[in-house]
Amino acid sequence: MDIGALTLLKIKKLYIENINNLERIEINFNDGFNIICGQNGVGKTTVLNCVLASFNRKKLGLLNVNAKESHGFWETKFYRNDALDSRVHYIHKEDEINHSRSIKGDKLINSNYIISFSVNNRNMSTQYYGVNPLKHWLYKNYYLSDLNYSKENNFSLVKDCFSMIDRTVSFYKMEEYIDERKSIRNSYSLHNDRYVELYVATTNGIIKIDQMSSGYQSVLLILLSLVKKIESLDRFGVSVHNFEGILLIDEIDLYLHPEWQKKLMQIIRWLIPNAQIITTTHSPHIIQAAKPREIISLGIDGKDQVFIRDLPDSSEYGYQGWTIEEILTDVMGLQETRSDEYKIAIREFDRAMDDENANAAAYSYRKLESMLNPNNSSLKLLRLQMASLGGFNNDKIK
């Protein structure tokens, strides 16, 4: 029986008042990807923690009452099997909020179909007491166990992930070896003296997964760990492709090169197409890979209050055609993409032009020329401005 197909869970809306630095904010979520962006300290992780605390009180210690108030609360509206429901939880400043007894209000949402996922820059060679837990799980789950329908499908997805990350790479085999040097005596070992190796086929031949690039290994580890978490929701195994729950990922771009960030997004869409994904990011490359209406951009106004920024229309293609600089300024709210040194230099150039001081303008131009990309169109504009003062004819520095 495919348990994953029987349970649908989606967050519809989250209202937060006086929690951490969020004084009052209401966020509507769509059924697919929800990418929360904004500067550090704006409250992105607080949003995830409020969602999670609606299901699990152990995460309540990450939430505090706003410094200006005596209590705070959040309301979570959600769909479960197409029925709309809601929960309200609140905390008081005087309470020991790291204890579960301090949460008040409605009962927790009773569902296991929510996964909180942490992205770390680890690779497949990481060992715990001499054994890699993920390799051990893969071998035990798919090689030492009888595969039911769900697990057969999941194992097929696992193998596909290798080529989805890099089309020149494919899953080859897993083998169990006896460690003749020493006996591993701990709870992670397979048979006290054995370990597992995972091999992939590449254009350079058959190699161990540990020999792949750190970026490849990081993406693979995230995907396989996600499969493991979803499967663990039921002892019979949940079909990953049909998972209709909620996935929370804080900083999905963490430690990943932009090339791998986009690839991870694409593969997660393919791997769990029916899941609701709520994630935070600092990366414009993640936003560039987003689809329309998937971005929730948080900003801070002149009164230091967090609000949801109105974003320019992104058409049916999202922000795929936007430059990184356009995304940083118009979507993520970055006020300035240039360095302070550049801003000083351009102000000096403008001042020299206003004063019609050709020597000072030429000096500032040379400084800007060394800072900017040689192909930057701004250099052409600066040269045109210099031409109005006679170019470099009077430049004694040249």
Side-chain angles (χ1 to χ4, degrees):
M1 181 172 61
D2 186 356
I3 305 297
L6 300 178
T7 302
L8 181 145
L9 181 68
K10 298 286 187 292
I11 301 295
K12 177 66 176 176
K13 182 181 296 185
L14 179 68
Y15 177 79
I16 303 173
E17 188 167 316
N18 299 326
I19 300 295
N20 292 348
N21 65 320
L22 300 178
E23 293 190 16
R24 189 175 292 106
I25 193 168
E26 182 176 275
I27 301 176
N28 293 292
F29 296 102
N30 63 58
D31 289 346
F33 253 100
N34 297 268
I35 303 169
I36 306 172
C37 64
Q39 66 191 69
N40 283 334
V42 78
K44 301 184 296 295
T45 302
T46 297
V47 173
L48 296 189
N49 288 335
C50 282
V51 171
L52 189 57
S54 299
F55 294 79
N56 187 342
R57 288 179 177 174
K58 291 181 180 179
K59 297 296 180 181
L60 191 60
L62 300 171
L63 303 174
N64 293 278
V65 179
N66 186 285
K68 301 177 183 178
E69 304 295 334
S70 59
H71 72 279
F73 74 93
W74 66 94
E75 180 181 13
T76 306
K77 292 188 177 181
F78 61 98
Y79 280 102
R80 179 159 48 193
N81 293 330
D82 295 325
L84 183 63
D85 202 349
S86 67
R87 296 287 190 275
V88 177
H89 299 102
Y90 56 95
I91 53 179
H92 289 284
K93 183 173 292 185
E94 63 270 17
D95 288 337
E96 294 285 340
I97 66 169
N98 58 318
H99 296 309
S100 60
R101 61 178 172 81
S102 64
I103 188 171
K104 297 177 175 64
D106 297 334
K107 64 181 180 179
L108 296 175
I109 301 172
N110 182 23
S111 176
N112 292 326
Y113 281 76
I114 180 167
I115 294 173
S116 178
F117 198 79
S118 176
V119 176
N120 292 305
N121 186 27
R122 294 178 292 178
N123 55 50
M124 296 292 289
S125 64
T126 302
Q127 303 289 315
Y128 295 90
Y129 300 101
V131 174
N132 180 278
L134 193 54
K135 290 180 186 176
H136 172 55
W137 172 78
L138 283 170
Y139 190 75
K140 181 180 178 182
N141 197 50
Y142 297 124
Y143 281 80
L144 300 183
S145 302
D146 293 331
L147 299 184
N148 58 23
Y149 179 75
S150 291
K151 286 197 173 185
E152 281 186 356
N153 285 342
N154 292 343
F155 189 34
S156 178
L157 292 174
V158 163
K159 290 185 286 188
D160 287 343
C161 283
F162 289 77
S163 299
M164 292 286 289
I165 301 172
D166 185 337
R167 59 184 179 83
T168 67
V169 178
S170 61
F171 175 88
Y172 185 67
K173 67 176 180 178
M174 295 189 74
E175 283 190 355
E176 184 182 21
Y177 293 92
I178 296 176
D179 189 343
E180 298 178 350
R181 296 170 298 175
K182 61 181 180 178
S183 177
I184 305 172
R185 301 187 183 281
N186 59 74
S187 58
Y188 290 103
S189 65
L190 293 174
H191 299 293
N192 289 330
D193 60 350
R194 298 186 179 187
Y195 64 96
V196 171
E197 283 293 358
L198 172 58
Y199 295 88
V200 292
T202 72
T203 52
N204 296 320
I206 308 302
I207 63 173
K208 295 179 181 179
I209 190 64
D210 307 348
Q211 296 173 263
M212 294 295 295
S213 71
S214 60
Y216 183 97
Q217 291 186 57
S218 294
V219 174
L220 180 64
L221 187 142
I222 292 168
L223 296 172
L224 299 188
S225 298
L226 181 55
V227 172
K228 179 182 177 182
K229 280 179 174 286
I230 294 176
E231 273 209 359
S232 68
L233 296 176
D234 189 271
R235 66 188 182 92
F236 296 108
V238 175
S239 177
V240 173
H241 219 48
N242 293 331
F243 175 68
E244 294 186 324
I246 300 166
L247 174 63
L248 305 178
I249 310 177
D250 198 12
E251 297 188 57
I252 192 171
D253 54 281
L254 190 63
Y255 304 128
L256 292 176
H257 185 277
E259 176 186 355
W260 297 114
Q261 294 173 18
K262 293 181 180 181
K263 191 152 289 188
L264 178 61
M265 289 268 291
Q266 295 167 356
I267 300 174
I268 288 178
R269 289 186 193 278
W270 161 79
L271 185 64
I272 45 174
N274 301 307
Q276 181 183 48
I277 301 159
I278 305 175
T279 184
T280 66
T281 187
H282 290 102
S283 171
H285 302 282
I286 291 290
I287 293 173
Q288 199 175 47
K291 293 182 178 180
R293 294 174 294 280
E294 289 186 339
I295 304 299
I296 301 168
S297 180
L298 302 183
I300 301 178
D301 63 20
K303 298 180 180 179
D304 291 331
Q305 293 188 355
V306 178
F307 68 101
I308 299 176
R309 302 178 68 250
D310 289 328
L311 297 180
D313 293 334
S314 59
S315 82
E316 61 182 300
Y317 299 103
Y319 300 100
Q320 294 178 52
W322 289 42
T323 66
I324 295 302
E325 186 169 5
E326 288 169 342
I327 291 173
L328 285 171
T329 55
D330 296 344
V331 179
M332 303 183 74
L334 188 65
Q335 296 299 315
E336 179 57 64
T337 61
R338 309 280 184 151
S339 69
D340 290 339
E341 187 71 20
Y342 170 83
K343 289 186 286 184
I344 292 172
I346 196 68
R347 283 198 298 267
E348 289 175 347
F349 178 83
D350 291 339
R351 188 181 302 114
M353 292 299 300
D354 291 339
D355 295 340
E356 297 185 358
N357 187 333
N359 284 341
Y363 177 85
S364 295
Y365 174 85
R366 293 301 188 198
K367 193 173 181 180
L368 291 165
E369 185 180 40
S370 65
M371 289 182 183
L372 291 168
N373 186 311
N375 298 319
N376 194 303
S377 59
S378 296
L379 285 175
K380 296 179 181 179
L381 296 176
L382 293 173
R383 277 190 172 277
L384 289 174
Q385 289 181 276
M386 286 294 301
S388 68
L389 293 181
F392 295 99
N393 293 335
N394 299 320
D395 184 7
K396 298 178 182 179
I397 301 173
K398 184 178 178 183

